[in-house]
């Protein structure tokens, strides 16, 4: 049985932050994909996916993260993950996706890194 997924977005100077909490799986992935489609990104911005509340992520969840990256790249923006849970971090490393997604301890750290890179 799938737990509820909480999804919220907010805007920072760097760009949108999408916060996910709960389970990201084949039941909840379409909701995240729909939310991604509605996110406006401008060239040079950064999309941050904050995973601090994520309790589970299956292959559908990984596919959503790749879709988020593709959405950002299509807008000539960047992507960063924040607060990646240890289990997911391990999976990203095993699959080679750890090299594709910059990650930061917090969404604020991701925004700081974006500011430093854009200066």
């Amino acid at each position: 049985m799938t737990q509820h997924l909480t999804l919220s977005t907010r805007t920072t100077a760097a760009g949108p932050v999408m916060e996910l909490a709960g389970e990201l799986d084949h039941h909840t992935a379409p909701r995240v994909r729909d939310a991604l489609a509605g996110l406006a990104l401008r060239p040079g911005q950064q999309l941050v996916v904050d995973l601090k509340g994520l309790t589970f992520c299956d292959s559908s969840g990984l596919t959503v993260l790749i879709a988020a990256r593709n959405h950002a790249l299509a807008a000539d923006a960047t992507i960063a993950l924040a607060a990646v849970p240890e289990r997911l971090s391990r999976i990203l490393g095993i699959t080679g996706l750890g090299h594709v997604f910059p990650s930061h301890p917090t969404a604020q750290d991701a925004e700081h890194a974006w500011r430093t890179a854009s200066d």
Side-chain angles (χ1 to χ4, degrees), residues 30-115:
R31 186 168 153 228
V32 179
R33 269 196 207 100
D34 290 346
L36 281 169
L39 279 182
L41 278 166
R42 293 189 314 270
Q45 283 190 315
Q46 174 179 254
L47 168 61
V48 175
V49 182
D50 189 339
L51 304 170
K52 71 180 167 230
L54 202 67
T55 58
F56 178 81
C57 181
D58 69 4
S59 60
S60 298
L62 291 178
T63 302
V64 165
L65 294 179
I66 293 168
R69 180 180 182 269
N70 292 342
H71 180 70
L73 294 178
D76 199 21
T78 61
I79 187 167
L81 303 180
V84 180
E86 181 59 36
R87 176 177 260 173
L88 180 56
S89 181
R90 185 168 181 260
I91 292 169
L92 292 172
I94 290 168
T95 60
L97 291 172
H99 298 290
V100 173
F101 292 102
S103 63
H104 303 276
T106 67
Q108 292 78 15
D109 290 330
E111 183 177 2
H112 177 74
W114 174 84
R115 286 181 189 277

